[in-house]
């Protein structure tokens, strides 16, 4: 069992509530969602890969109060902190450069032993662990991106036009591309988000400008990626990505 300094959830460190934490289980790798079909008369089974299940993180926690009424007040404060409607960022002091996205799963029971209260938490998190957002500006309309994560990640592009153009197109090393057709003028800005599929021109959604028949919201693969902008000499482009890890 690992002893850790503490954890931060939904923007608040556990020490704010006087909580000490023991990391009971942080899964090395979450369960897969694979399906296996057994065919009569055939040895073995047919595998249908389905990606990863959510990741579960289990913590044992405790805090000390001066008396029982004070401990009950503290319990309500902790409950209000831990309850969220959506997944929030969960991070640990011993993993300062990465974070999880999770939500509390199941009920939380509280045990009193004298002036000490103990409880266990189970967070149901997305399968991947995330690092901080990184970015790189294209030079001469080209960029070589080193995705140091261990999984593919969908990028986001921001563009400022320095000349008029009738389209904007970014292509990767596999000839996959995203193309936006529009009468761009000097000073126009655009955001292309491959994760959400959103196209924003001057802050306004412009999905009708996407060449949807041919475009593909591609991911940055693990390791080196080569990207190019066309037409050249028309804009300044920056690509953003968040490394993710198994």
């Amino acid at each position: 069992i690992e002893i850790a300094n503490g954890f931060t959830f939904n923007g608040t460190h556990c020490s704010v509530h006087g909580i000490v934490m023991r990391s009971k289980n942080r899964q090395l790798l979450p369960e897969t969602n694979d399906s296996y079909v057994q065919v009569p008369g055939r040895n073995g089974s047919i595998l249908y890969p389905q990606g990863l299940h959510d990741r579960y993180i289990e913590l044992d926690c405790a805090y000390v109060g001066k008396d029982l009424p004070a401990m009950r007040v503290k319990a309500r404060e902790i409950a209000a902190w831990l309850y969220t409607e959506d997944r929030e960022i969960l991070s640990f002091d011993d993993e300062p450069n990465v974070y999880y996205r999770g939500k509390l799963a199941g009920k939380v029971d509280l045990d009193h032993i004298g002036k000490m209260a103990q409880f266990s938490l189970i967070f149901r998190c997305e399968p991947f662990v995330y690092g901080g957002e990184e970015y790189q500006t294209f030079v001469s309309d080209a960029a070589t991106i080193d995705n140091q994560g261990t999984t593919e990640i969908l990028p986001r592009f921001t563009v400022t036009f320095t000349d008029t153009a009738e389209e904007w197109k970014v292509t990767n090393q596999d000839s996959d591309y995203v193309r936006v057709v529009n009468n761009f003028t000097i000073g126009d800005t655009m955001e292309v988000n491959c994760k959400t599929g959103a196209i924003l021109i001057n802050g306004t959604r412009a999905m009708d400008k996407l060449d949807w028949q041919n475009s593909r919201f591609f991911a940055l693969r693990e390791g080196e990626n080569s990207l190019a902008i066309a037409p050249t000499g028309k804009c300044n482009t920056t690509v953003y990505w968040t490394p993710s890890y198994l």
Side-chain angles (χ1 to χ4, degrees), residues 95-129:
E95 294 183 292
N97 299 318
V98 298
Y99 64 90
Y100 305 82
R101 292 195 61 86
K103 180 179 180 179
L104 197 63
K107 63 179 182 177
V108 180
D109 294 323
L110 187 66
D111 292 329
H112 294 98
I113 303 176
K115 294 183 178 182
M116 177 178 289
Q118 298 177 328
F119 57 94
S120 296
L121 303 177
I122 300 177
F123 288 97
R124 181 169 180 167
C125 303
E126 293 177 0
F128 303 113
V129 187

Side-chain angles (χ1 to χ4, degrees), residues 55-76:
R55 183 187 298 263
Y56 289 87
I57 294 177
E58 301 178 42
L59 309 175
D60 287 334
C61 301
Y63 66 91
V64 175
K66 63 180 181 179
D67 53 38
L68 187 56
M71 294 172 70
R72 296 305 306 172
V73 170
K74 177 65 69 175
R76 288 190 288 273

Side-chain angles (χ1 to χ4, degrees), residues 141 159-165 184-188 232-237:
D141 295 302
V159 186
T160 300
F161 286 87
T162 57
D163 199 352
T164 58
F184 294 106
T185 61
I186 297 174
D188 280 350
T232 60
K234 300 290 187 178
C235 64
N236 295 321
T237 300

Side-chain angles (χ1 to χ4, degrees), residues 117-208:
Q118 298 177 328
F119 57 94
S120 296
L121 303 177
I122 300 177
F123 288 97
R124 181 169 180 167
C125 303
E126 293 177 0
F128 303 113
V129 187
Y130 302 101
E133 185 177 62
E134 300 184 18
Y135 70 92
Q136 186 168 322
T137 299
F138 284 66
V139 177
S140 299
D141 295 302
T144 299
I145 308 302
D146 182 15
N147 174 17
Q148 297 186 358
T150 59
T151 67
E152 292 184 340
I153 192 71
L154 293 164
R156 174 174 63 91
F157 299 90
T158 60
V159 186
T160 300
F161 286 87
T162 57
D163 199 352
T164 58
E166 295 181 354
E167 68 174 20
W168 177 91
K169 180 180 177 183
V170 59
T171 306
N172 70 3
Q173 66 283 338
D174 300 316
S175 298
D176 295 322
Y177 64 82
V178 179
R179 178 172 176 255
V180 179
V181 180
N182 184 59
N183 291 321
F184 294 106
T185 61
I186 297 174
D188 280 350
T189 62
M190 180 174 65
E191 178 174 315
V192 176
N193 193 320
C194 291
K195 182 176 182 179
T196 65
I199 307 291
L200 301 177
I201 298 178
N202 296 325
T204 302
R205 290 181 65 86
M207 300 306 300
D208 59 318

